[in-house]
Amino acid sequence: AYGTKQGARRFYDYNKKVLLHLGLTLCPNEPCLFRYLHQGSVCYLLQYVDDALIAGDSTAIAHLQQKMKQHFHCKFEQPKDFLGLDLTHKQQGELTLSMTSFTTKMKDVLQFSDTYFGDILTPGRTDKKVNRTDPHEPNEQYRSHVGTLNWLTMGLRYDLAFVTKELSRVLDKPTQIANEISHRALVYAHRTKDAHLRFSYTLMTNYAPPKTR
């Protein structure tokens, strides 16, 4: 799937053809999402190049796995991570998503220092704005910094979305303020690396809205 410009596309086209042949239905709004029905049981397959997640009813999952083995050399394991996301699945109906591992490695790869004293409560600054007309301050790592923040935003860290959008405005010519804010955002992300989303079937189904007046 890697190595050529059209490799990933051709790989997807082949997978799509096989999955549709196996009886899966392609989501009309998301080309990487498929649904599989088997005797009233349902499961979903989410594909990203040569990685995929399957979730749903155990009956449908088991039947789909047997059919996929006839066409692919694949192995099925309990997922621990997917595209930078840490997946913790301790029991049925309980799932926690985080980006702790990615964020921990991020600091080692980008090699930025945490020199801020006190807490950093937000990734950006309300008293400073990124302007393209400000003087250019060269930074060879700027694209890597903003790209990393963008990946965090797409995965789970929605609190970084606005500052990442603002920093992306000066990708070609970063400014002093942009460099300062990008560093702050990276430090903020690393300090809050344990941020997570928890999905609990029990809590969601037992939820009762608070009484109104």
Side-chain angles (χ1 to χ4, degrees), residues 19-129:
L19 294 175
L20 294 178
H21 173 72
L22 295 180
L24 284 85
T25 302
L26 177 64
C27 174
N29 301 317
E30 176 49 68
C32 294
L33 180 62
F34 298 80
R35 183 180 66 170
Y36 182 69
L37 297 173
H38 176 67
Q39 297 180 351
S41 182
V42 60
C43 69
Y44 298 87
L45 184 148
L46 181 65
Q47 179 187 347
Y48 184 83
V49 192
D50 57 345
D51 291 323
L53 285 177
I54 303 177
D57 301 331
S58 56
T59 301
I61 292 176
H63 192 263
L64 176 59
Q65 288 176 342
Q66 291 300 320
K67 297 182 73 172
M68 290 180 66
K69 288 180 180 179
Q70 300 174 11
H71 297 269
F72 301 104
H73 293 289
C74 51
K75 58 182 179 180
F76 302 99
E77 299 175 341
Q78 187 76 17
K80 295 182 180 179
D81 60 85
F82 186 70
L83 304 181
L85 285 172
D86 297 326
L87 286 75
T88 304
H89 190 222
K90 295 183 178 179
Q91 61 186 36
Q92 191 74 16
E94 292 284 339
L95 178 65
T96 300
L97 302 177
S98 71
M99 299 190 78
T100 303
S101 298
F102 179 87
T103 312
T104 300
K105 294 177 182 177
M106 171 192 75
K107 191 172 189 300
D108 297 330
V109 173
L110 298 181
Q111 296 182 342
F112 60 87
S113 57
D114 184 349
T115 57
Y116 286 88
F117 294 98
D119 296 330
I120 300 180
L121 302 180
T122 61
R125 294 278 299 267
T126 58
D127 59 334
K128 293 187 177 183
K129 186 176 181 180

